[in-house]
Amino acid sequence: MDEILVQSTYEGRFTLDELLHYGTVHSPTGIGVSKEKKHTFFLVFSGGEPNGAMFVDEKGTLFGDAAILHLTGKEEFELSLVTPSIADALISRCRVFEKSHLKKNSRFDIPTIGTPNRQRVGVLCLTVRDSQAPLAGAHVAIRKGKVVLTSDVTDSGGRVCFRLLNGRYMCVVSDRLGERTRRIIEFHEPQVEACVDIGGTEDENR
């Protein structure tokens, strides 16, 4: 597995919720790796579907549905893209048949925000900077409470846009090193442009 990951393309760092949502939106084929002190968890994606899983600790390795049962929902995964042939070969050995086990540990349902007569949809565009330089390839997630509503990766100019209902959101930015910056975003216009500087101080309660 280490050999495969060395030759793969790093895509970003995600919580379990974010990874599953990212798979639904972007359909990646790759391997998500969550390393803890005493165990390592692998989720293998094919076309955005988490079709394979492995759980490795000092007692040995569990595959497929048996591995999924060890998920807590609090893991953070580093996703690396691999070729479909590699993903298919891995999945053939650790296939997940009961996807319901994954749903128990994540929030697939996106809640409706606000009352129907007050909902307005707008476009939120964020430019992520590291001091003065635009940051390309940063993973940006938009949360409401603990629920990830949507996520994407910044372009070469550090920019990313989301179509959202107006409201107050938490913006979580992760760079390639996995460092996170959190900012509250107030979004009440048809289109909003905002800048997030990851060089600032993390703040989740502002």
Side-chain angles (χ1 to χ4, degrees):
M1 187 66 79
D2 287 339
E3 263 186 48
I4 293 172
L5 293 171
V6 165
Q7 301 176 43
S8 63
T9 302
Y10 181 79
E11 185 73 358
R13 188 177 180 88
F14 308 84
T15 64
L16 177 61
D17 286 341
E18 291 169 347
L19 183 62
L20 295 173
H21 182 72
Y22 189 82
T24 301
V25 174
H26 297 279
S27 301
T29 294
I31 303 169
V33 184
S34 173
K35 290 188 177 181
E36 303 291 339
K37 289 182 179 180
K38 296 185 178 180
H39 67 265
T40 302
F41 203 101
F42 300 93
L43 270 181
V44 186
F45 286 79
S46 178
E49 286 291 318
N51 289 327
M54 287 185 283
F55 177 85
V56 184
D57 64 8
E58 68 274 7
K59 297 179 182 178
T61 304
L62 296 174
F63 300 93
D65 296 333
I68 289 294
L69 292 174
H70 284 73
L71 277 173
T72 65
K74 298 178 181 179
E75 295 84 359
E76 291 202 352
F77 290 84
E78 291 191 346
L79 176 65
S80 297
L81 304 183
V82 299
T83 62
S85 60
I86 290 176
D88 291 343
L90 290 171
I91 289 168
S92 69
R93 300 180 182 185
C94 61
R95 187 175 299 278
V96 175
F97 293 97
E98 290 293 333
K99 300 287 180 64
S100 60
H101 295 317
L102 276 169
K103 293 181 181 180
K104 290 177 183 177
N105 292 298
S106 67
R107 301 178 180 90
F108 277 111
D109 297 327
I110 296 176
T112 301
I113 301 164
T115 55
N117 61 341
R118 293 183 179 179
Q119 289 180 349
R120 289 190 304 171
V121 176
V123 177
L124 172 64
C125 290
L126 302 173
T127 299
V128 179
R129 297 181 181 276
D130 186 355
S131 296
Q132 296 300 315
L135 186 64
H139 177 255
V140 182
I142 302 297
R143 300 183 182 220
K144 192 71 173 179
K146 297 297 182 182
V147 180
V148 178
L149 301 183
T150 184
S151 64
D152 206 344
V153 176
T154 57
D155 61 19
S156 58
R159 198 164 183 267
V160 64
C161 292
F162 303 101
R163 186 174 173 82
L164 295 165
L165 292 169
N166 287 166
R168 191 171 190 260
Y169 298 94
M170 175 65 68
C171 170
V172 183
V173 180
S174 304
D175 63 15
R176 290 185 179 274
L177 298 176
E179 296 175 353
R180 289 170 174 259
T181 299
R182 292 173 170 83
R183 293 287 181 271
I184 297 294
I185 301 291
E186 294 281 356
F187 175 49
H188 299 293
E189 302 296 331
Q191 182 158 349
V192 170
E193 296 276 349
C195 181
V196 177
D197 190 340
I198 68 167
T201 304
E202 185 175 296
D203 181 4
E204 193 168 0
N205 300 309
R206 189 173 58 186

